[in-house]
Amino acid sequence: MATANPPVSQTKSFSTVFLIELWERFGYYGMQAVMVVYMIEKLGFSDSKANLTWGAFTALVYAAPAIGGWVGDKVLGSRRTMSLGAIILAIGYLLLSVPSDDIYFLYWALGVVVVGNGFFKANSGNLVRKIYEGDDSKIDAAFTIYYMAVNIGSTASILLTPWIKVHWGWLSAFAVCCGGLVVGLVNYFFMRRTLAHIGSPPDNEPVNKTKLAIVLGIGFVTTFLVAFVLQNQGVAKACIWLAGIIVLSIFAYLIAKVDRSERAGLLAALVLTAQTLLFFIFYQQMSTSLTLFGVRNVDPNFSIFGIHLFTWIPEQFQALNPIWIMVASPILAWAYTALGKRGKDLPIAGKFALGFVVVAIGFFIYGISGNFAVNGIVSAWFMVWGYGFYSLGELFVSALGLAMIARYVPARMGGFMMGAYYVATGLSQYMGSVIANFASVPEDMKDPVQSLPLYTALFNKLGFLAVGGTLLAILLLPLMKRLSESHHGAAAPVKDAAAAEAAE
């Protein structure tokens, strides 16, 4: 008589997704660390063109999971679509490392990255949701630790790729991003059985080769469409706004058509997604205005009391974000779990409000740094503390954005709603690039004394914008409390009925 396989623990299943997410983010953030500076210094782009090209790319990167989530839910399965996305991403980073003077080739390689991310991103998050489905406090803690995977991978690559760029050139840095995905895929191959019981319905059926061929064909054509969009900023702007309108319309349709018991949860998700959209305007500064500020106006030497400690390459300042998040993530995850056991966990809307407070503090730190500049150059320690507060705010808002979808959205539309969430963040990041251009430095301006006030003025304005986000989040707290109570009140009878059915 055959012995049944022992059940796989949630921790082992989570570890498999955690690790492939870590290596996927290693590739993406390694590319992000150097791409804007690569466009300016190597390809001769202006600040404005580089910011907007990167903004359009990131918007498409974050919009693509709306479709990838549907493919995972309905066509190929969440597990298969996630692994397919990782393979395509590895190919995209490999293409970036190919020597070519053709700018269109760069756009096409970025198009491959967009398609790969579309397949990967929504489905990896959806698998985490399925692992911990039904336990709100564990979902918050799991997504906070899952967010830590993003930051382990990004820390390593943000520190590594600028260093490799300096010693072996730009293309070698992009090749390392590809190597990270290869490592992640090999690791996933050996751990994939821990996810055998987790996924969407198509995962439990044999691969439909016709559907797979259609998906791959559409994905291949999409890479050229993305390249065309990136090459034409007017088209990029139109596509980004169109995508936002379409997803918002579908959101409205679902809210109108779902059962009344599910409507409060969807409304709560919509309100929190709108707040997340505001947050990602700040997030986009990390790869645009803050990176260029670091290149032009920040002393890369770290010293204490006149004693030199070490020197960073300017692009490496981005690594301060994931470093701070790795420090704070376990503490917050522990706090969420402990408070949840006592029934005193801060509501997710309250965490969003607190997040905007600390984001405001972070940008005001960048803003006041100009008052302490010497010949237009500020101390690296302003970057350390500015990133510290900004990163804590990110944990309260962005890290819990995925948990918010997991908590409030019905399971049957989880993949699509994960995708819709990413579309909102993509639109927001394009807006962030537009805002970063308020500090666009003219090509003939080389004196840091002249560029410094452009950046500090932008950072102070962003600080006040975060204050506005705080006030909005506080005003919405009563509404969010009512929606959350309605959602949980409607969900309780459904869970009780399911438990009774299982008992029979």
Side-chain angles (χ1 to χ4, degrees):
M1 182 176 178
T3 303
N5 292 325
V8 178
S9 71
Q10 289 178 322
T11 301
K12 287 183 178 179
S13 300
F14 175 75
S15 296
T16 301
V17 184
F18 177 97
L19 287 171
I20 194 167
E21 174 73 17
L22 184 155
W23 286 109
E24 187 274 328
R25 292 289 87 182
F26 176 95
Y28 183 82
Y29 281 99
M31 175 196 63
Q32 173 182 292
V34 297
M35 182 57 76
V36 170
V37 181
Y38 171 70
M39 290 177 181
I40 293 171
E41 294 186 358
K42 182 67 174 177
L43 304 181
F45 285 23
S46 66
D47 279 19
S48 178
K49 183 177 180 181
N51 283 337
L52 290 179
T53 300
W54 177 253
F57 166 73
T58 53
L60 293 169
V61 158
Y62 278 82
I67 299 173
W70 178 82
V71 171
D73 278 349
K74 306 296 183 182
V75 183
L76 298 180
S78 297
R79 295 196 310 271
R80 293 192 190 115
T81 307
M82 180 185 72
S83 55
L84 176 64
I87 293 169
I88 295 173
L89 280 167
I91 294 171
Y93 298 137
L94 182 63
L95 291 172
L96 286 173
S97 69
V98 174
S100 175
D101 295 327
D102 187 351
I103 299 299
Y104 185 82
F105 185 82
L106 168 70
Y107 292 145
W108 181 63
L110 291 175
V112 175
V113 174
V114 167
V115 171
N117 190 81
F119 288 140
F120 182 92
K121 201 63 185 169
N123 291 290
S124 60
N126 200 28
L127 288 175
V128 174
R129 182 191 66 77
K130 290 178 180 293
I131 291 170
Y132 292 101
E133 196 165 25
D135 190 326
D136 285 350
S137 61
K138 278 191 175 181
I139 284 177
D140 279 5
F143 272 103
T144 301
I145 295 297
Y146 176 72
Y147 205 68
M148 191 173 176
V150 171
N151 293 283
I152 293 173
S154 62
T155 299
S157 59
I158 291 172
L159 291 175
L160 185 61
T161 53
W163 186 85
I164 289 175
K165 177 262 294 185
V166 169
H167 291 85
W168 286 291
W170 298 99
L171 301 182
S172 297
F174 295 131
V176 168
C177 298
C178 171
L181 263 295
V182 172
V183 172
L185 283 164
V186 170
N187 183 78
Y188 178 75
F189 176 80
F190 287 107
M191 297 182 68
R192 68 192 188 281
R193 291 183 181 177
T194 63
L195 291 175
H197 63 299
I198 304 293
S200 55
D203 279 310
N204 301 319
E205 302 171 1
V207 178
N208 186 312
K209 294 181 180 179
T210 301
K211 291 181 179 179
L212 176 60
I214 292 172
V215 167
L216 290 175
I218 293 174
F220 184 69
V221 171
T222 301
T223 63
F224 292 98
L225 294 175
V226 171
F228 173 77
V229 169
L230 294 179
Q231 204 172 23
N232 299 272
Q233 285 298 321
V235 175
K237 187 182 296 185
C239 288
I240 289 160
W241 285 110
L242 179 62
I245 292 170
I246 290 174
V247 171
L248 186 61
S249 299
I250 295 175
F251 220 133
Y253 174 80
L254 290 175
I255 289 172
K257 293 296 182 180
V258 296
D259 294 339
R260 188 173 181 179
S261 61
E262 299 172 331
R263 190 167 296 149
L266 282 175
L267 284 170
L270 178 60
V271 171
L272 292 171
T273 297
Q275 293 181 46
T276 304
L277 187 134
L278 174 60
F279 170 80
F280 273 94
I281 290 175
F282 306 107
Y283 181 85
Q284 186 71 343
Q285 305 312 308
M286 185 172 74
S287 56
T288 53
S289 63
L290 279 172
T291 291
L292 296 177
F293 176 61
V295 169
R296 292 167 176 150
N297 291 98
V298 179
D299 182 358
N301 298 294
F302 285 84
S303 301
I304 296 180
F305 303 120
I307 301 173
H308 180 263
L309 302 177
F310 54 88
T311 300
W312 267 10
I313 299 165
E315 294 93 328
Q316 291 178 321
F317 283 120
Q318 294 180 60
L320 291 167
N321 171 241
I323 288 171
W324 274 112
I325 284 179
M326 284 191 291
V327 171
S329 289
I331 298 171
L332 284 181
W334 172 82
Y336 294 156
T337 302
L339 290 172
K341 289 179 179 178
R342 300 178 199 171
K344 297 181 179 180
D345 192 18
L346 188 69
I348 196 166
K351 293 170 185 173
F352 273 43
L354 187 56
F356 283 117
V357 170
V358 289
V359 166
I361 295 172
F363 275 94
F364 283 135
I365 288 174
Y366 298 134
I368 67 172
S369 68
N371 297 327
F372 303 91
V374 178
N375 296 323
I377 302 297
V378 307
S379 168
W381 293 107
F382 283 102
M383 298 294 276
V384 172
W385 294 110
Y387 267 111
F389 282 96
Y390 157 80
S391 302
L392 181 59
E394 182 179 344
L395 277 174
F396 282 124
V397 181
S398 177
L400 293 178
L402 294 174
M404 170 265 295
I405 297 294
R407 176 181 294 188
Y408 289 115
V409 172
R412 69 179 185 280
M413 58 182 74
F416 172 78
M417 293 308 299
M418 286 282 185
Y421 170 82
Y422 283 118
V423 170
T425 61
L427 174 61
S428 179
Q429 290 198 63
Y430 183 79
M431 293 168 60
S433 289
V434 172
I435 290 173
N437 274 345
F438 285 110
S440 182
V441 175
E443 294 181 42
D444 60 350
M445 184 183 288
K446 306 297 182 183
D447 188 350
V449 173
Q450 294 178 297
S451 60
L452 180 62
L454 295 177
Y455 288 115
T456 55
L458 171 64
F459 298 147
N460 282 324
K461 289 173 183 174
L462 286 167
F464 284 112
L465 180 62
V467 170
T470 302
L471 295 176
L472 177 63
I474 292 172
L475 289 173
L476 289 171
L477 281 174
L479 172 64
M480 289 303 303
K481 181 179 180 181
R482 290 197 299 271
L483 289 174
S484 185
E485 288 174 349
S486 297
H487 167 69
H488 287 295
V494 175
K495 289 182 180 179
D496 291 345
E501 184 178 343
E504 293 176 1

